[in-house]
């Protein structure tokens, strides 16, 4: 089966790693024009051109400031809207975020509600939540929160409350 693969990341090193792993696993290369170094809100893919999108550990680095939303503070909102735009209807997106963001047990549920209410995504419950890897010998445990999203509509951010904006603030708790 012929699969179109597109890869974007803000880090050039991650693009190189992804291209190498794809070639080693599948046996052919990702064309250069389909491996792009850019931020999530700068993706230049055609609308409704993707069946699956994976964004790992990226949203927490986007600008997100309600008071500065008219001056670039809405980067996270734009990223989620762009993610919705590039997915076909019924397409799947995987978002992962660091565990430290979810110091309040209700935070994950609240983020799910905002994604469902304002960004046109259904949460695939059985494939979402706190995830851990099973490390091999000598490897550290890796854990994150995964959001598995299915596109079911278009974003509706007009009139989005400051409370919803605050829910999408991803801050790490720093140990003292």
């Amino acid at each position: 089966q012929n699969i179109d693969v597109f890869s974007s990341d803000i880090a050039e090193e991650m693009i190189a790693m992804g291209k190498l792993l794809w070639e080693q696993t599948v046996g052919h290369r990702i064309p250069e024009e389909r491996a792009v170094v850019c931020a999530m809100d700068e993706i230049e893919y055609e609308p409704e051109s993707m069946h699956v999108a994976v964004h790992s550990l990226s949203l927490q680095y986007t600008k997100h400031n309600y008071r500065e939303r008219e001056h670039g503070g809405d980067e996270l909102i734009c990223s989620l809207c762009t993610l919705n735009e590039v997915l076909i209807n019924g397409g799947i997106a995987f978002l992962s975020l660091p565990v430290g963001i979810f110091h309040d047990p209700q935070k994950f549920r609240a983020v799910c509600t905002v994604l469902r209410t304002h960004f046109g995504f259904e949460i695939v419950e059985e494939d979402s939540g706190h995830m851990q890897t099973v490390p091999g010998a000598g490897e550290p445990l890796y854990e994150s929160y995964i959001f598995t999203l299915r596109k079911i509509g278009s974003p509706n951010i007009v009139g989005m409350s400051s409370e919803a904006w605050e829910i999408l603030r991803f801050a790490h708790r720093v140990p003292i």
Side-chain angles (χ1 to χ4, degrees):
Q1 184 176 356
N2 196 6
I3 299 172
D4 286 335
V5 174
F6 300 87
S7 182
S8 63
D9 198 297
I10 200 161
E12 192 169 335
E13 299 80 17
M14 296 309 293
I15 291 289
M17 183 187 306
K19 287 167 56 177
L20 178 63
L21 288 172
W22 181 260
E23 185 175 352
Q24 290 172 344
T25 305
V26 178
H28 60 83
R29 293 176 180 227
I30 298 173
E32 289 299 319
E33 67 274 8
R34 293 190 179 172
V36 182
V37 177
C38 68
M40 278 177 67
D41 65 331
E42 296 172 355
I43 295 173
E44 294 185 7
Y45 301 128
E46 293 294 318
E48 298 188 355
S49 62
M50 294 187 182
H51 293 269
V52 177
V54 178
H55 291 286
S56 181
L57 304 173
S58 57
L59 278 181
Q60 74 272 20
Y61 297 114
T62 57
K63 294 177 191 166
H64 187 66
N65 185 327
Y66 185 76
R67 292 183 301 272
E68 296 291 324
R69 62 189 180 276
E70 303 299 322
H71 305 287
D74 62 347
E75 190 177 65
L76 184 143
I77 302 297
C78 292
S79 296
L80 290 169
C81 290
T82 300
L83 178 61
N84 180 291
E85 180 183 330
V86 300
L87 284 170
I88 65 165
N89 198 37
I92 300 291
F94 298 99
L95 299 176
S96 70
L97 289 167
V99 173
I101 288 172
F102 298 96
H103 46 82
D104 175 358
Q106 298 304 314
K107 175 81 172 185
F108 181 79
R109 288 279 127 231
V111 172
C112 288
T113 299
V114 171
L115 292 171
R116 185 175 23 255
T117 304
H118 295 288
F119 293 97
F121 293 116
E122 169 187 61
I123 310 303
V124 181
E125 299 282 341
E126 62 273 14
D127 294 320
S128 298
H130 182 240
M131 305 291 178
Q132 295 180 327
T133 61
V134 178
E139 293 179 8
L141 176 71
Y142 176 78
E143 52 186 329
S144 68
Y145 273 87
I146 305 291
F147 296 84
T148 303
L149 312 171
R150 180 178 290 115
K151 179 181 173 176
I152 58 169
S154 298
N156 180 13
I157 59 170
V158 175
M160 188 173 163
S161 70
S162 60
E163 291 83 14
W165 270 73
E166 188 61 30
I167 287 168
L168 294 177
R169 183 175 308 284
F170 302 130
H172 289 276
R173 179 173 274 177
V174 179
I176 298 175

